[in-house]
Amino acid sequence: MADNKFVYIFGNNDTEGKNSMKDLLGGKGANLAEMSNLGIPVPVGFTITTEVCTLYLKNGQYPLGLEEHIDNAIKQLESTTKKNFGDLKNPLLLSVRSGARVSMPGMMDTVLNLGLNDDSVVGLATKTGNERFAYDSYRRFLTMFANVVLDIDHDKFESALSSKKKDKCVKQDNDLEVEDLKELVEKFKTIIKDETGKEFPQNAREQLQMAIDAVFSSWNNQRAKTYRKLNGIPREWGTAVNVQSMVYGNMGETSGTGVAFTRDPATGEKRFFGEYLINAQGEDVVAGIRTPQPIKTLKNTMPKVYDQLVDIYMKLEDHFKEMQDIEFTIEKGKLFMLQTRTGKRTAAAAIKIATEMVEEGLIDKDTALLRVEPEQIDRLLHPNIDPTSTYEVMATGLPASPGAAVGEVVFTAEHAEEMAKNGEKTILVRAETSPEDIGGMNAAEGILTVRGGMTSHAAVVARGMGKPCVAGCGEITIDIKEKIFNVGDYTIKEGDMISIDGSTGNVILGEVELILPGVTDELETILKWADEVRTLKVRTNADTPHDAEVARDFGAEGIGLCRTEHMFFGEDRIPAVREMIMAEDIESRKIALKKLLPMQREDFIGIFKAMEGFPVTIRLLDPPLHEFLPVHEEVMEKLRELESSDASQEEMERVKKIGERIEYLKEINPMLGHRGCRLGITYPEIYEMQAQAIIEAACELSKDGMKIVPEIMIPLVSHVKELEFVKKHVTTVVESVMEEMGIKLDYLLGTMIELPRAVLTADQIAKEAEFFSFGTNDLTQTTFGFSRDDAGKFLPFYLESGILEDDPFAVLDQDGVGQLVKIGIEKGRSTRPDIKIGICGEHGGEPKSIKFGHNVGLNYVSCSPFRVPIARLAAAHAVLENKQ
Ligand code: PEP
Ligand code: MG
């Protein structure tokens, strides 16, 4: 331990700490010392260091000499304040507060007026000539001490206070008279005796020791532990204790207490923002007992104090170069600062403050970028629930696609589409969604599913559309026949209003108020600065020209994944797609594919145009085929109907065949079945048609002078020979189309790396592939052996019990899947050093995963359009954090 110094004084000429000593003094202690160094009035006090906490919790006892250090510090406080601790005539009273390096809700917070007892309260009354004040302070002290030190329920004191107010027919605490307060003090002491079996401790030094013990012990209470775990705060940090001489905001009409921010924490506007209460102590403002007044009215009531406060807040902001959240007390017209810390703020405020502080010359651009969290941007791009509204949460699922939505419950995609035609807003509630639901998902305001994880169909598609989605809400049971869903004690009917919050996973009863923050100039500025810093490119996952345009507007530098299977579900193509699947021989399959060819060509023309000048990675078909056919039960139902009607034999045969084909194609485990390049190998003509459509589209546009950069991507490759096989077919088509059209176009042919075998043989695969794109959704699925679609049943438990810290389908598992990514990159570059490598799984839009991607040397990430701005900022953070 550093020269056995356990205690640091602040608030007088002997101040020993400073702002840079946060690790030792905690945030509160370090900043109190710093204010004192700046000449700002701070009540004198001392900080017991975090090292003491760590030793106390480790050894079960305090380090030798601590008691003496505390006694010496108290002497200093006594000499500065000219009051004596434990004195009966002129008592020094103290506040005791915890203070970790970062503010930590859940720990013991504050005890005020410590040092009072049955005798000193009389002394305080005589000395101040204010008996009411003395007993008001004593009853407050008893309540706080009992609650935070002795762990007695606060309600016991609150209800005694309320019944006293009721007896006296008064509303406010302030309206109680001295005699009432005296009675309350007696009552409170009795509660303490009843609850603890011991008298309330009258000795001031004993009170102080008990409060210090309570602060240190609270570092390890359950609430604090949970908070630390959630926020990645190490247990070893410990907390400091701040002991400070009391100043009184409850000494009459020229006293008061308040909290303020140096800028508006909601909007970021540069104005002094805050509130205060006259004749009150700190906890009254927070507890909302009386309605505080806006800070600007202080200008009229106490102009001098107001001016001084303004000077101080400006000085603090200038000094810390950051928006401050301050606490102050006025004692008989004299101002004291009790705390200053970095103020919490909304996303909009964070961006405004960061950009304006650069303009004001307070901070540089890099600092500004680091002051905005990438995830905060998400809040600015979607409607959100008005934070001032109250609502009833019925259940919570996965926060699968951010933003909030309100609408009437519908249970089918068709219903959502019908309602949308009439201008009605809906929430589509499904057990899970399938590609057939796309139209309805697009028509609904939001999507709620019972099953499926963060990479389920619903989640992926909703994110792509920028639609709010709560997925995998297993508490819900849908009764599709009755057109209801049940959750807990609620039964929700079709047509009932509900709201969902895709940022939190909440499913809410009824309609909530939404707010839509727009993309501001300040956000544009931050993103522009981010672009100047980052080296990682950001592309988008988009399958329609519209999504591509949205993403381009958000700054996407190309498409990293165009899932062509999403194009096969358009109403106009389903008949041809079904014909292709039903085909019994290659000839009839080719006839069906011929019908699809012009439609695909148009699709690609649209997408290439929207991304002109940027690379567009088009992935060849990758779903299980049966997904394109109707549901088996529906077909069987149809067959029964036909049988009982006078339908022709031919028609019945046709429907029967569809049923048989569905049965044939059905797989036990479709996620590991006949999908990806396995389809392109068994039916090469499908990939040939797609390659033809891609290259015809690209050649046609480049004939018109456009710069088109196509990249053809083969999915689910595990063996280099699979790639060789498909590549041969694809390149033959590509070459012949180019020759026919008389154009030589640069294009790339590459592969997804989404299976462990592909990673482990990436050196061989790179010989055939000109680029790699890590499909981290499938790579996570196959590395963990967790089904993407079924993990929702157990993953929540894994997260709750701490087996996993994050959902690996949302945040890349760096230790496991991340290792595979690293190996894949190394092996790939060992045979093709300049191979272009990206990520196009959902992790491509998640900040921690993006930073990982930067650090392992990816060239780009690709994410859904609405996450492009987040990815741009996260990529810049990756560079800046490495510099630090
Ligand atoms: C992946 O597996 O990460 C991927 C992008 O492909 P998909 O989600 O379409 O399987
Ligand atoms: Mg995949």
Side-chain angles (χ1 to χ4, degrees):
M1 167 157 315
D3 58 20
N4 279 1
K5 185 161 173 60
F6 306 130
V7 168
Y8 287 72
I9 296 280
F10 59 78
N12 61 15
N13 294 336
D14 299 322
T15 296
E16 295 166 313
K18 57 182 177 225
N19 171 245
S20 57
M21 292 165 71
K22 282 209 169 83
D23 293 359
L24 189 65
L25 303 180
K28 196 173 286 166
N31 280 358
L32 280 164
E34 189 77 358
M35 284 201 282
S36 176
N37 293 333
L38 290 169
I40 291 172
V42 165
V44 62
F46 58 88
T47 303
I48 308 172
T49 65
T50 55
E51 276 180 356
V52 174
C53 177
T54 319
L55 288 172
Y56 174 64
L57 295 178
K58 190 165 133 216
N59 305 331
Q61 60 185 42
Y62 290 111
L64 227 60
L66 174 70
E67 210 175 303
E68 202 187 326
H69 289 206
I70 294 176
D71 290 339
N72 287 340
I74 293 173
K75 283 203 186 91
Q76 286 214 42
L77 264 55
E78 289 175 333
S79 101
T80 311
T81 57
K82 307 210 168 24
K83 295 175 185 170
N84 291 320
F85 189 51
D87 196 82
L88 304 185
K89 292 216 175 76
N90 183 21
L92 166 69
L93 302 190
L94 301 174
S95 71
V96 180
R97 291 181 161 99
S98 63
R101 281 188 215 182
V102 292
S103 107
M104 276 227 353
M107 284 178 46
M108 194 206 102
D109 191 21
T110 307
V111 178
L112 301 179
N113 309 319
L114 186 139
L116 274 176
N117 59 25
D118 292 351
D119 295 324
S120 62
V121 69
V122 181
L124 184 69
T126 319
K127 172 90 179 113
T128 57
N130 190 339
E131 197 180 19
R132 195 190 177 288
F133 154 73
Y135 280 92
D136 185 47
S137 303
Y138 196 18
R139 65 98 188 169
R140 287 169 188 273
F141 171 47
L142 286 166
T143 310
M144 286 182 153
F145 190 85
N147 180 231
V148 299
V149 179
L150 303 174
D151 205 19
I152 304 173
D153 193 350
H154 187 260
D155 287 350
K156 296 214 156 60
F157 300 88
E158 228 9 80
S159 63
L161 179 64
S162 301
S163 59
K164 176 59 73 197
K165 284 195 280 189
K166 210 163 149 207
D167 286 353
K168 291 287 174 173
C169 301
V170 297
K171 281 222 170 80
Q172 307 286 359
D173 301 1
N174 274 8
D175 299 329
L176 290 172
E177 312 208 344
V178 182
E179 288 316 309
D180 306 325
L181 294 170
K182 282 183 180 172
E183 281 169 33
L184 275 175
V185 162
E186 289 312 311
K187 172 84 192 151
F188 286 1
K189 283 193 296 184
T190 312
I191 296 176
I192 292 174
K193 172 97 197 279
D194 290 349
E195 291 292 319
T196 62
K198 286 191 199 146
E199 296 291 343
F200 169 73
Q202 294 283 323
N203 181 292
R205 185 64 178 84
E206 189 187 341
Q207 291 170 0
L208 178 61
Q209 197 54 52
M210 287 172 81
I212 294 170
D213 295 351
V215 173
F216 285 143
S217 303
S218 71
W219 179 252
N220 269 348
N221 72 27
Q222 201 46 49
R223 289 191 311 270
K225 277 190 194 163
T226 310
Y227 185 85
R228 280 208 295 277
K229 191 156 164 279
L230 288 175
N231 293 278
I233 298 171
R235 191 171 152 265
E236 307 73 66
W237 280 9
T239 179
V241 181
N242 297 294
V243 178
Q244 206 171 6
S245 63
M246 282 295 301
V247 284
Y248 304 100
N250 57 338
M251 287 192 90
E253 292 308 301
T254 55
S255 301
T257 185
V259 292
F261 292 85
T262 57
R263 302 192 187 210
D264 186 329
T267 63
E269 194 187 331
K270 193 174 182 193
R271 68 179 177 116
F272 193 32
F273 178 93
E275 48 193 26
Y276 70 102
L277 274 175
I278 289 292
N279 197 10
Q281 278 198 341
E283 78 274 15
D284 299 346
V285 181
V286 187
I289 295 168
R290 282 187 276 146
T291 308
Q293 311 196 36
I295 199 85
K296 60 177 188 295
T297 63
L298 189 66
K299 197 176 168 71
N300 307 327
T301 47
M302 295 188 217
K304 272 209 183 112
V305 172
Y306 181 80
D307 288 346
Q308 193 189 354
L309 196 55
V310 168
D311 279 350
I312 289 174
Y313 99 72
M314 298 220 277
K315 191 171 191 174
L316 285 173
E317 195 182 90
D318 212 48
H319 180 72
F320 288 104
K321 306 201 183 312
E322 177 54 303
M323 187 260 257
Q324 297 294 297
D325 164 357
I326 57 180
E327 261 180 58
F328 61 91
T329 283
I330 307 159
E331 182 184 294
K332 290 190 174 163
K334 190 165 172 355
L335 177 67
F336 293 92
M337 302 308 292
L338 300 186
Q339 168 154 312
T340 189
R341 61 180 167 186
T342 300
K344 296 229 178 330
R345 63 206 76 178
T346 62
I351 288 170
K352 191 173 177 67
I353 292 172
T355 50
E356 288 190 357
M357 282 193 170
V358 172
E359 271 168 38
E360 292 160 23
L362 272 181
I363 56 174
D364 61 18
K365 287 181 190 174
D366 289 358
T367 310
L369 284 172
L370 287 170
R371 294 240 177 118
V372 182
E373 284 305 319
E375 282 295 351
Q376 284 184 310
I377 294 181
D378 220 12
R379 301 237 141 235
L380 299 182
L381 305 177
H382 305 278
N384 283 295
I385 296 179
D386 181 347
T388 61
S389 62
T390 50
Y391 45 84
E392 208 170 318
V393 175
M394 297 189 284
T396 305
L398 294 172
S401 179
V406 179
E408 290 178 39
V409 168
V410 292
F411 292 103
T412 64
E414 298 80 59
H415 195 179
E417 286 184 83
E418 265 166 46
M419 298 272 286
K421 275 187 204 137
N422 301 329
E424 239 108 39
K425 293 184 180 346
T426 59
I427 302 289
L428 177 60
V429 184
R430 304 280 290 153
E432 64 201 333
T433 61
S434 76
E436 270 180 291
D437 293 327
I438 298 263
M441 293 171 78
N442 192 33
E445 296 296 302
I447 298 124
L448 169 60
T449 69
V450 180
R451 289 194 290 273
M454 296 294 281
T455 61
S456 61
H457 178 266
V460 170
V461 172
R463 278 200 288 273
M465 291 174 170
K467 284 239 169 206
C469 172
V470 173
C473 188
E475 295 162 66
I476 290 180
T477 47
I478 299 180
D479 185 336
I480 201 82
K481 279 217 179 87
E482 295 296 319
K483 298 191 174 149
I484 56 169
F485 76 76
N486 290 304
V487 55
D489 296 334
Y490 304 90
T491 297
I492 305 292
K493 298 189 297 299
E494 182 182 86
D496 285 353
M497 269 295 182
I498 63 164
S499 308
I500 58 167
D501 186 345
S503 310
T504 60
N506 285 340
V507 180
I508 296 159
L509 183 69
E511 203 168 339
V512 291
E513 222 29 69
L514 298 183
I515 44 172
L516 179 60
V519 177
T520 57
D521 289 349
E522 287 102 356
L523 175 56
E524 299 272 5
T525 306
I526 284 283
L527 292 174
K528 199 177 93 224
W529 294 344
D531 292 345
E532 288 164 14
V533 170
R534 72 185 162 94
T535 51
L536 194 66
K537 295 259 181 231
V538 177
R539 297 198 196 178
T540 192
N541 295 356
D543 338 302
T544 64
H546 172 260
D547 286 358
E549 273 157 28
V550 171
R552 199 175 172 149
D553 287 347
F554 280 140
E557 297 157 301
I559 290 181
L561 174 63
C562 169
R563 292 176 164 104
T564 52
E565 57 276 12
H566 290 178
M567 300 166 165
F568 276 38
F569 279 95
E571 262 173 48
D572 51 340
R573 21 206 105 171
I574 268 286
V577 172
R578 288 190 180 154
E579 192 184 324
M580 169 189 94
I581 299 169
M582 297 298 297
E584 281 175 359
D585 52 48
I586 183 160
E587 289 319 315
S588 31
R589 195 171 308 111
K590 279 192 170 166
I591 293 172
L593 286 167
K594 218 170 174 180
K595 293 182 191 162
L596 284 169
L597 176 72
M599 302 182 208
Q600 281 265 272
R601 194 191 302 122
E602 282 312 302
D603 291 334
F604 298 136
I605 286 182
I607 288 194
F608 281 140
K609 271 190 187 163
M611 270 293 160
E612 200 213 326
F614 287 118
V616 174
T617 308
I618 296 173
R619 183 179 75 186
L620 304 187
L621 202 62
D622 173 26
L625 280 183
H626 76 267
E627 279 192 6
F628 294 106
L629 295 177
V631 180
H632 189 252
E633 277 155 40
E634 284 171 16
V635 175
M636 290 298 113
E637 177 71 31
K638 173 111 187 170
L639 196 60
R640 277 191 290 277
E641 269 171 32
L642 290 177
E643 277 165 356
S644 57
S645 71
D646 52 1
S648 69
Q649 192 61 30
E650 205 187 343
E651 173 66 357
M652 284 203 287
E653 267 309 305
R654 196 185 65 79
V655 176
K656 202 164 146 226
K657 267 205 174 143
I658 297 182
E660 283 166 4
R661 192 74 176 152
I662 297 172
E663 272 295 281
Y664 170 74
L665 290 171
K666 207 164 138 206
E667 294 171 316
I668 304 275
N669 198 343
M671 272 299 172
L672 297 177
H674 192 188
R675 53 174 286 219
C677 66
R678 299 158 200 175
L679 263 181
I681 289 169
T682 45
Y683 303 121
E685 52 283 2
I686 299 181
Y687 278 11
E688 283 167 1
M689 178 280 285
Q690 292 196 293
Q692 184 180 346
I694 294 168
I695 298 302
E696 282 179 0
C699 287
E700 196 175 312
L701 294 175
S702 57
K703 259 190 188 165
D704 293 343
M706 289 190 199
K707 186 171 180 317
I708 306 300
V709 193
E711 299 179 346
I712 299 174
M713 181 155 76
I714 314 300
L716 224 69
V717 165
S718 61
H719 199 292
V720 67
K721 289 207 172 141
E722 290 175 311
L723 185 58
E724 277 171 17
F725 183 99
V726 174
K727 190 174 166 183
K728 202 165 96 220
H729 284 269
V730 168
T731 37
T732 309
V733 171
V734 170
E735 297 303 328
S736 84
V737 170
M738 286 200 210
E739 200 179 314
E740 226 168 82
M741 296 189 69
I743 286 198
K744 191 90 194 113
L745 201 75
D746 285 335
Y747 76 100
L748 297 181
L749 194 142
T751 180
M752 306 262 316
I753 299 286
E754 48 187 345
L755 294 172
R757 195 184 188 285
V759 168
L760 299 173
T761 57
D763 46 348
Q764 297 169 27
I765 293 176
K767 288 192 185 137
E768 298 296 327
E770 289 168 300
F771 65 88
F772 281 174
S773 181
F774 281 95
T776 44
N777 302 335
D778 276 313
L779 195 56
T780 301
Q781 165 172 262
T782 47
T783 304
F784 276 92
F786 289 170
S787 155
R788 281 165 70 168
D789 289 341
D790 297 317
K793 292 215 177 75
F794 53 87
L795 264 187
F797 182 78
Y798 273 44
L799 299 176
E800 257 163 49
S801 57
I803 292 175
L804 289 178
E805 262 184 27
D806 296 298
D807 179 341
F809 289 106
V811 180
L812 190 82
D813 158 49
Q814 296 186 13
D815 291 344
V817 181
Q819 282 232 39
L820 288 176
V821 172
K822 276 197 216 162
I823 295 171
I825 295 173
E826 276 164 28
K827 286 198 168 255
R829 292 201 172 131
S830 70
T831 40
R832 194 187 283 268
D834 61 345
I835 189 167
K836 191 159 57 167
I837 306 182
I839 277 191
C840 65
E842 290 308 300
H843 309 88
E846 193 283 320
K848 279 193 255 175
S849 317
I850 294 169
K851 288 175 198 171
F852 171 80
H854 168 87
N855 290 330
V856 295
L858 288 184
N859 300 97
Y860 69 90
V861 290
S862 187
C863 53
S864 54
F866 282 82
R867 294 201 75 85
V868 167
I870 298 162
R872 286 163 70 191
L873 182 57
H877 274 208
V879 175
L880 297 173
E881 281 164 15
N882 288 349
K883 264 198 214 166
Q884 281 181 336

